[in-house]
Amino acid sequence: MSTTQIKDAVHGYIELPDALVEGVVDTRPFQRLRYVRQLSATHLVYPGANHTRFEHSLGVYHLGRTVFESLRRQSYFTRDAAVDELEEIQRTLECACLLHDVGHPPFSHLSEGFLDEGVLRERVAETGLVDAFDRAGVGGAPLRSANPHELLGCVIIVEEYGDALRDFDVDPFEVCAYVLGYSLAYERGEPWQYGVGAQLLHSPIDVDRLDYITRDNEMTGAGVLSFDVERMVDAYTAHPEAGLALSEKALSTIGNYLEGRIALYMWVTQHHKSVYANRLLQALLGEYERETGESPVTVDGILDRELDDNAVLERLRTAARENPDSTLASMYDRFRGRRFPATCWKHRIALADRVGGDLGDDLPVDGDPLDAFTAWLTAGDDRLERLLADALDVPVHEVWIDRSYVPAYDPDELEDIPIAYGGTTRSVADWGLYGDRAFDVPIPFVFVPDGTKRRAIRVLREAFEREVTEEARA
């Protein structure tokens, strides 16, 4: 079988069969991913963060193939599974790894909220995927809980790659199921190894996470992660009941993996400037919709016109030029000129210093008053933005209360990472490897015009104390 080698900045040479390159990689829907940044607008903070969903998808393919081939060398894994069954799983996994992000809209997660979910679910139903899940006895839960980019990816997989996948002797519906964390074959009663194939792409230790954690750390230059990827890859194993797990070989690096994953979130995605850059871009998209009456990102736009970051940025530029006195134009100028205001605090230490003090000494709050304050901020961000704008006498679009648009990595999920030893499988927490790690909790940032931070903090603190007191009296 002839192959093509692609040099990757993270994993070195990635080798793909020419048929896979021709049938998937060198096609327009997959090439669109070259123009969809992995970390949205974070390159405005970390200049090297220009990596895209394209190279990430190649990296996930490389890791998925490498791990599965390692599993196939373990007699325990291959027991009671025919060679042709293992070949089928590997073909499906490799295709699913390549295509798992093919549905990402421009700016990755940032613009998912602009996709019409009704239209999207209609398109999914037209592919026959809903019926396929029903026939396997899975039901509609995986599709109801799927992210918009996963649903759009399933549409593209079936409509654009269905014939090519069948030519590879791969079921397009099974590829979609892998993307959503399921194996239809396993649900229909095929050997447990089919389920492991899906877990390699969708679980607490999936190769998707393994690639983006290492890639985001390296490409941003953040340097907050230091763990042995090769050791981790070599440690993958599996168990008929527990499914995908890590062997004791991972013990030397699992702690770094746990902490590194949180560190990347806290100091890259949750960096106060990253939060502002991404919130500003997301608000720009919303302002474009209000100004023009058109959604900047649509399902048909991606499927028919191959919308990417560049195309949407051009729409924003044109609309800002045509409406020079609009809020859109003001926000676009701020984005292009990178005129980002400072937040009232950059981290929890500064928050405690500037808001803490005697906060809550006489207030009826349970637990840490600072935690109560941050929860209050997050829950009432829209209302409090208007309150601050009035108090500071500035337009409301110049006051933002926000934290990262990417969901926090849940430490509870990390506790469930299975470690296999001596014929048993127990979670990281059960083995005591998680320890008493107290991972930092994301805090909301408050962005206001320069020169107004002290006044903004005072306004927020007084409002918090007043509202908590009034609520207690009521």
Side-chain angles (χ1 to χ4, degrees):
M1 179 188 300
S2 57
T3 61
T4 295
Q5 285 188 332
I6 300 175
K7 186 63 179 290
D8 178 58
V10 175
H11 303 300
Y13 285 105
I14 296 176
E15 192 169 287
L16 302 97
D18 285 347
L20 206 53
V21 172
E22 181 179 349
V24 175
V25 176
D26 285 350
T27 60
R28 294 180 69 95
F30 193 82
Q31 289 292 316
R32 183 185 70 90
L33 299 182
R34 287 184 182 272
Y35 312 102
V36 178
R37 283 192 176 94
Q38 178 90 1
L39 294 179
S40 307
T42 304
H43 65 287
L44 296 178
V45 181
Y46 291 93
N50 282 298
H51 55 302
T52 68
R53 294 283 162 179
F54 179 83
E55 56 260 43
H56 165 62
S57 298
L58 293 177
V60 174
Y61 162 84
H62 168 75
L63 290 174
R65 184 190 64 189
T66 302
V67 171
F68 196 78
E69 289 179 346
S70 175
L71 289 175
R72 293 185 66 173
R73 291 191 291 271
Q74 299 176 23
S75 60
Y76 186 80
F77 180 74
T78 58
R79 187 187 308 163
D80 302 325
V83 172
D84 61 342
E85 291 173 328
L86 296 174
E87 289 288 344
E88 179 187 353
I89 297 169
Q90 182 163 346
R91 289 194 305 270
T92 303
L93 174 64
E94 290 178 359
C95 292
C97 286
L98 269 183
L99 291 168
H100 80 285
D101 271 353
V102 74
H104 259 295
F107 315 116
S108 294
H109 296 284
L110 200 71
S111 67
E112 282 191 272
F114 293 92
L115 296 174
D116 188 315
E117 190 169 330
V119 171
L120 193 50
R121 294 194 178 277
E122 286 180 10
R123 293 298 296 263
V124 170
E126 290 170 1
T127 66
L129 187 60
V130 175
D131 293 336
F133 270 73
D134 285 340
R135 288 193 301 271
V138 178
L143 292 167
R144 286 193 297 270
S145 62
N147 293 322
H149 81 269
E150 292 173 329
L151 294 176
L152 186 53
C154 287
V155 173
I156 295 172
I157 288 167
V158 176
E159 293 186 353
E160 298 290 338
Y161 294 101
D163 291 341
L165 291 172
R166 283 185 283 268
D167 287 344
F168 301 146
D169 199 18
V170 171
D171 178 4
F173 292 152
E174 182 77 337
V175 171
C176 293
Y178 272 40
V179 170
L180 301 181
Y182 288 79
S183 166
L184 301 182
Y186 174 70
E187 298 295 336
R188 290 192 298 262
E190 296 297 337
W192 61 274
Q193 290 87 347
Y194 282 84
V196 171
Q199 285 184 305
L200 273 170
L201 186 58
H202 206 295
S203 69
I205 51 173
D206 61 44
V207 292
D208 180 18
R209 301 167 198 254
L210 189 58
D211 182 81
Y212 72 63
I213 289 170
T214 54
R215 190 172 300 277
D216 291 353
N217 181 67
E218 186 156 337
M219 302 310 292
T220 58
V224 296
L225 176 67
S226 177
F227 79 99
D228 192 335
V229 177
E230 292 184 7
R231 184 75 172 176
M232 187 92 157
V233 167
D234 195 43
Y236 278 92
T237 187
H239 188 276
E241 282 77 37
L244 191 65
L246 296 172
S247 73
E248 68 271 17
K249 291 180 181 179
L251 296 180
S252 63
T253 193
I254 190 67
N256 289 344
Y257 175 80
L258 295 170
E259 293 177 353
R261 186 176 169 201
I262 298 295
L264 267 174
Y265 179 80
M266 293 305 303
W267 305 114
V268 174
T269 311
Q270 179 66 14
H271 186 287
H272 60 103
K273 292 290 187 182
S274 294
V275 171
Y276 187 84
N278 287 296
R279 170 66 187 269
L280 177 58
L281 181 52
Q282 193 170 45
L284 260 172
L285 298 175
E287 198 59 39
Y288 175 92
E289 188 170 41
R290 283 186 287 274
E291 189 68 39
T292 67
E294 299 177 354
S295 175
V297 178
T298 63
V299 173
D300 289 338
I302 294 171
L303 293 175
D304 300 335
R305 297 192 299 278
E306 302 170 351
L307 278 181
D308 56 30
D309 291 12
N310 296 338
V312 176
L313 284 172
E314 178 60 20
R315 289 184 175 187
L316 296 177
R317 185 191 69 82
T318 301
R321 179 172 294 181
E322 292 176 350
N323 302 276
D325 298 324
S326 65
T327 299
L328 170 67
S330 172
M331 293 169 64
Y332 182 78
D333 181 64
R334 196 187 314 168
F335 181 80
R336 290 291 297 199
R338 198 185 177 279
R339 293 187 291 105
F340 298 170
T343 176
C344 289
W345 47 78
K346 297 181 180 180
H347 39 67
R348 182 168 289 276
I349 295 174
L351 172 62
D353 177 60
R354 295 172 187 178
V355 178
D358 59 349
L359 179 69
D361 281 358
D362 300 317
L363 292 179
V365 296
D366 296 326
D368 186 346
L370 200 58
D371 289 341
F373 177 79
T374 57
W376 172 79
L377 267 183
T378 304
D381 52 358
D382 290 341
R383 177 180 62 83
L384 296 176
E385 285 169 357
R386 292 190 294 272
L387 173 70
L388 273 180
D390 289 342
L392 302 178
D393 194 24
V394 298
V396 70
H397 69 266
E398 291 190 12
V399 176
W400 282 339
I401 300 171
D402 209 355
R403 59 182 180 180
S404 174
Y405 70 98
V406 177
Y409 297 143
D410 188 350
D412 290 338
E413 181 182 275
L414 297 182
E415 292 184 15
D416 291 333
I417 291 177
I419 300 292
Y421 177 75
T424 65
T425 302
R426 294 164 59 185
S427 73
V428 165
D430 290 341
W431 282 111
L433 300 176
Y434 196 75
D436 296 322
R437 289 181 177 85
F439 292 120
D440 204 353
V441 176
I443 60 171
F445 299 114
V446 177
F447 300 96
V448 294
D450 291 341
T452 65
K453 287 194 296 185
R454 290 181 180 275
R455 187 178 176 191
I457 292 171
R458 184 173 66 253
V459 168
L460 288 174
R461 176 169 168 148
E462 290 174 352
F464 172 70
E465 293 173 342
R466 180 176 62 253
E467 292 181 14
V468 167
T469 301
E470 291 175 355
E471 182 177 344
R473 288 172 179 169

